[in-house]
Amino acid sequence: MPAASTFLQTMRTPAQNAELALLLEVAGTPKPGNVDRKRDLPDLRFEHFLAGAVGAQDGLRAAGRGDPVGSAFERSVEGMAEQRGGNTQFGALLLLTPLVRTAGDDEIEELTPEAAAATVAATTVEDAVDFYRAFDHVDVRAGDPPEDMEPLDVRRGSDAADAVRDRGLTLQELMAESSERDGVAREWTDGFEETFAVADRIADSDEPLPARAADAFLWLLARRPDTHVAKKHGASTARSVMVRAQEAREGGPDLVAAFSESLVESGINPGTTADVVAAALFVALERDGLEV
Amino acid sequence: MPAASTFLQTMRTPAQNAELALLLEVAGTPKPGNVDRKRDLPDLRFEHFLAGAVGAQDGLRAAGRGDPVGSAFERSVEGMAEQRGGNTQFGALLLLTPLVRTAGDDEIEELTPEAAAATVAATTVEDAVDFYRAFDHVDVRAGDPPEDMEPLDVRRGSDAADAVRDRGLTLQELMAESSERDGVAREWTDGFEETFAVADRIADSDEPLPARAADAFLWLLARRPDTHVAKKHGASTARSVMVRAQEAREGGPDLVAAFSESLVESGINPGTTADVVAAALFVALERDGLEV
């Protein structure tokens, strides 16, 4: 990747940059509603994210050396889940896995939306089966599927393997089915549009990286409803959180702090926004050669 | 290692546990004088430690698969140094490298002081040469050596290679030369006595791991003078810091916070104590199978 060889002074591999992105994401503060450097939630603490990032390492490395996206993702989730906090970085890893695979491919010149989209387009039915297997390792919030999709309920995990093969859906096609209600799936379908937009924002700043992560989080939260919030609390709550994020940004640090307290009290954690910020940090480290 | 297979529910390798130990160490707060979850220093910030831990990964993995201690250490330091904070975890890696190599050896049944001492005893002159090479990557505080040791000044880095070979000192013997004035070298010489004592303390608690790290830090700081402080500020300052740590522990959180502020204002960072705590966290994760 010419961009990397021009700018990067480090030997960090794409997998290592991805792990570092996960760590920088959780170090950013304030990140209203979520665990951050200054905030633990009752059963989800900072150290669970540290262990999740370290545990994801083998799967991320598999993606970097060109393993199929589905199996690399499943492996990263299995390792991530080896801590007591539960699902810390499932969505972030679902974004990072194809991005790391793209960045690790010697034949790809630069980490662009087009290159990432090509990785996604090359996914197979077996990638979809492995994606389902990942759900065996962790509880992920998922609503009831449409009636005809019942056999493909992700909560069935690896038990859905036969149904996935019968339908013959690739992982890309499966993601397209969810892209209207799931922000991570939408990134898969839209060429990682939000991820690259946030990466540009991060790369253009000269704050320390955790401060850029926090800024990017609030910026994105104010831009569109967080689909993790929508699934858990409904679409109107997700829209309200977006509007309040806009007001908090305009109001300054005190209003951001109050907004943050309010989200924590209501148990609202904008998880999809954090997922996209982690992926964007990876793009900024890998494509723009940002130094820590 | 029977202890590990009995207790550990995770697939984390020794190298991964070592990286996690580095992350948990810096997440512990309050850790008077040092960077922690709530404290950045002017030119040394939390994210430098995150990047240092990720960067050390390849060297730690080399140690885990049985590479010589010296070359694995040099590699871990090279990767650690790929951030703008400078020397974040040099001493911690010097403790972790032989411990990871010991834990990764299938023929060793348990991670004990004796097993670690045997790893140290097996080091060679080439390990010592590689240890010097590690100084090429980072500025480490070191005083003037005794006159007859001038050719072995660590600040010469790889330029000292010939002198090291001429003297024929193994890395263990080289550490023994510094054990009176350097707490990390003393651990090498004393069978990691402090490291294992702190690991026992960490394993016996049931607080979250970062809280155990902070408790262990203050406990150890109150037990003996920190040699990093002694090198930088003199022996009497190091003894005074020890006594004030004792008073702060007895006085409770407010006194600990005031002690912490005072150390930061004076530019006193007890680095050796942090190094030992990181190594102890590794022993607790690896030997006792502590879950995060």
Side-chain angles (χ1 to χ4, degrees):
Chain A
M1 299 178 55
S5 58
T6 308
F7 298 111
L8 268 185
Q9 300 300 311
T10 82
M11 306 183 305
R12 279 195 300 270
T13 62
Q16 288 170 335
N17 272 333
E19 189 188 337
L20 182 54
L22 292 172
L23 294 169
L24 292 169
E25 190 283 318
V26 75
T29 187
K31 245 171 35 208
N34 284 14
V35 171
D36 66 26
R37 184 170 171 188
K38 292 189 180 161
R39 169 85 66 187
D40 288 325
L41 298 174
D43 297 315
L44 189 58
R45 293 191 307 271
F46 192 70
E47 62 266 32
H48 298 139
F49 286 80
L50 301 181
V54 172
Q57 194 177 105
D58 288 346
L60 291 168
R61 200 176 310 128
R65 69 171 173 252
D67 277 16
V69 168
S71 71
F73 173 69
E74 191 252 338
R75 193 166 170 186
S76 74
V77 169
E78 184 179 19
M80 172 211 81
E82 296 193 321
Q83 36 74 30
R84 292 175 175 169
N87 174 20
T88 46
Q89 291 127 328
F90 187 96
L93 290 169
L94 188 50
L95 293 172
L96 285 168
T97 304
L99 292 170
V100 169
R101 193 184 194 284
T102 306
D105 186 337
D106 290 339
E107 297 188 2
I108 292 172
E109 293 202 347
E110 199 178 350
L111 180 56
T112 60
E114 295 70 29
T119 299
V120 161
T123 59
T124 65
V125 175
E126 286 309 303
D127 286 317
V129 170
D130 285 328
F131 169 74
Y132 272 81
R133 286 207 180 95
F135 287 86
D136 291 349
H137 305 301
V138 69
D139 281 330
V140 174
R141 179 158 298 271
D144 291 324
E147 202 168 317
D148 65 320
M149 293 287 282
E150 170 63 30
L152 294 181
D153 187 341
V154 290
R155 293 170 295 194
R156 298 186 64 212
S158 55
D159 291 340
D162 288 347
V164 173
R165 290 200 183 94
D166 285 350
R167 303 269 178 132
L169 291 176
T170 70
L171 185 49
Q172 179 192 34
E173 289 163 346
L174 194 70
M175 289 290 163
E177 299 273 351
S178 303
S179 64
E180 298 223 342
R181 62 182 183 282
D182 185 300
V184 170
R186 190 171 59 219
E187 287 296 281
W188 268 63
T189 310
D190 285 0
F192 299 85
E193 186 179 331
E194 280 185 2
T195 298
F196 279 88
V198 174
D200 290 343
R201 185 173 176 86
I202 289 172
D204 285 344
S205 162
D206 49 17
E207 294 289 305
L209 281 183
R212 301 189 207 188
D215 164 81
F217 178 88
L218 197 58
W219 178 77
L220 185 57
L221 193 61
R223 243 172 94 105
R224 85 285 177 271
D226 183 285
T227 55
H228 182 77
V229 174
K231 283 185 204 174
K232 199 169 159 188
H233 304 276
S236 71
T237 300
R239 271 194 305 276
S240 156
V241 166
M242 175 184 73
V243 172
R244 290 166 65 200
Q246 293 162 4
E247 291 164 355
R249 287 190 77 220
E250 286 162 17
D254 287 351
L255 212 56
V256 172
F259 175 50
S260 181
E261 289 301 324
S262 153
L263 289 188
V264 170
E265 275 167 32
S266 312
I268 294 173
N269 64 314
T272 303
T273 305
D275 295 338
V276 173
V277 170
L281 283 162
F282 169 73
V283 171
L285 287 167
E286 186 70 28
R287 180 195 64 178
D288 304 306
L290 287 195
E291 289 182 36
V292 179
Chain B
M1 297 179 55
S5 58
T6 308
F7 298 112
L8 269 185
Q9 300 301 312
T10 82
M11 306 183 305
R12 279 195 299 269
T13 62
Q16 288 170 333
N17 272 332
E19 190 188 338
L20 182 54
L22 292 171
L23 294 169
L24 291 170
E25 191 282 318
V26 76
T29 187
K31 245 171 35 204
N34 285 13
V35 170
D36 66 27
R37 184 169 171 189
K38 292 189 181 162
R39 168 86 64 187
D40 288 325
L41 298 174
D43 296 316
L44 188 58
R45 293 190 308 270
F46 192 70
E47 62 266 31
H48 298 140
F49 286 79
L50 302 181
V54 171
Q57 195 176 104
D58 288 346
L60 291 168
R61 201 178 308 128
R65 68 172 175 252
D67 277 17
V69 169
S71 71
F73 173 69
E74 190 251 339
R75 192 166 172 189
S76 74
V77 170
E78 184 178 19
M80 172 210 81
E82 295 192 322
Q83 34 75 29
R84 292 175 176 169
N87 174 20
T88 46
Q89 291 127 328
F90 186 95
L93 290 169
L94 188 50
L95 292 173
L96 285 168
T97 305
L99 292 171
V100 168
R101 192 183 194 285
T102 306
D105 186 338
D106 289 338
E107 297 189 3
I108 291 173
E109 292 201 348
E110 199 178 352
L111 180 57
T112 61
E114 295 71 28
T119 299
V120 161
T123 58
T124 65
V125 175
E126 285 310 304
D127 287 317
V129 170
D130 285 328
F131 169 75
Y132 273 82
R133 286 207 181 96
F135 287 86
D136 291 348
H137 305 301
V138 68
D139 281 330
V140 173
R141 177 158 301 269
D144 290 324
E147 202 168 317
D148 65 320
M149 295 286 282
E150 171 63 30
L152 294 180
D153 187 342
V154 291
R155 292 170 295 193
R156 298 187 64 212
S158 53
D159 291 339
D162 288 345
V164 173
R165 289 201 184 93
D166 285 349
R167 302 271 178 131
L169 291 176
T170 69
L171 185 50
Q172 179 193 32
E173 289 163 345
L174 194 71
M175 289 291 161
E177 299 272 351
S178 304
S179 64
E180 298 221 344
R181 62 182 182 282
D182 185 300
V184 169
R186 192 171 58 219
E187 286 295 279
W188 267 63
T189 309
D190 285 359
F192 299 85
E193 187 180 330
E194 279 185 1
T195 298
F196 279 88
V198 174
D200 291 342
R201 185 174 175 85
I202 288 171
D204 285 343
S205 161
D206 49 15
E207 295 287 306
L209 282 181
R212 301 189 207 188
D215 164 82
F217 178 87
L218 197 59
W219 179 78
L220 184 58
L221 193 61
R223 244 172 93 104
R224 86 285 176 271
D226 183 285
T227 55
H228 182 79
V229 175
K231 283 184 204 173
K232 198 168 160 190
H233 304 275
S236 71
T237 300
R239 271 194 304 276
S240 155
V241 166
M242 174 184 73
V243 171
R244 288 166 66 201
Q246 292 162 3
E247 292 165 355
R249 285 190 79 221
E250 287 162 16
D254 287 351
L255 212 56
V256 172
F259 174 51
S260 181
E261 288 302 324
S262 153
L263 290 188
V264 170
E265 276 167 31
S266 312
I268 295 174
N269 63 314
T272 304
T273 305
D275 295 339
V276 173
V277 169
L281 282 161
F282 169 72
V283 171
L285 287 166
E286 186 69 27
R287 180 195 65 178
D288 304 305
L290 287 194
E291 289 182 35
V292 180

